[in-house]
Amino acid sequence: MKIVTFCNIDTKLLDPSFTVENYEETSGDADIALIDINSIFDFEENKSASCKEKFVSIAILDDEDDYDAFKNFGIDAWIKHEDISKINELIAVLKKRFLS
C-alpha cells in the first residue's frame, strides 16, 4: 500500500510495509493521502498527480475547528492528532471498506 503525505507526520508511526512518500517527491499512484489543516490546499492542487483514481484521504485534526474546515473538501476519514498512534488501525478499516 502506498501512502502520500501532504503534512508533517512521523512516518515511524506507519506500518513499515507501507511505501510512504511526500507529495513533492511522489512517483504518484498513492492509495492513501494524509493531510492536515495546513496542507489542504496543497492536497487539492496535487491530489490528481499524487494519488490513484480511487484513493482515500485521511485528515489529521488538531482541534474541533479543523473538522468544519475539512467538511467541504470531501475528506473520507478523520483522526485526531492525539490519536495518531492508532492510524494503522484506521488505515486497515479504510482499506477493507474503500479500497478492496
Side-chain angles (χ1 to χ4, degrees):
M1 172 156 312
K2 193 173 197 180
I3 297 176
V4 63
T5 62
F6 288 84
C7 58
N8 292 325
I9 183 171
D10 183 359
T11 57
K12 294 175 188 161
L13 294 170
L14 300 169
D15 188 305
S17 68
F18 300 150
T19 301
V20 182
E21 298 177 333
N22 181 280
Y23 81 95
E24 295 173 316
E25 301 168 352
T26 186
S27 57
D29 72 337
D31 301 291
I32 306 249
L34 298 178
I35 60 176
D36 64 10
I37 195 66
N38 298 316
S39 62
I40 189 70
F41 294 110
D42 290 331
F43 168 69
E44 281 299 309
E45 292 173 6
N46 297 287
K47 64 185 176 186
S48 62
S50 301
C51 302
K52 290 180 177 177
E53 187 173 325
K54 182 178 178 183
F55 72 96
V56 175
S57 55
I58 301 174
I60 301 168
L61 306 176
D62 288 321
D63 58 47
E64 293 297 320
D65 292 335
D66 289 354
Y67 175 78
D68 290 332
F70 279 123
K71 68 182 180 183
N72 295 322
F73 286 92
I75 304 303
D76 299 305
W78 298 265
I79 189 167
K80 292 180 181 178
H81 198 267
E82 64 255 23
D83 297 330
I84 199 75
S85 64
K86 299 177 183 176
I87 195 158
N88 291 312
E89 297 170 28
L90 177 59
I91 291 171
V93 170
L94 294 171
K95 182 179 177 183
K96 288 179 185 174
R97 192 173 287 169
F98 292 105
L99 300 173
S100 297

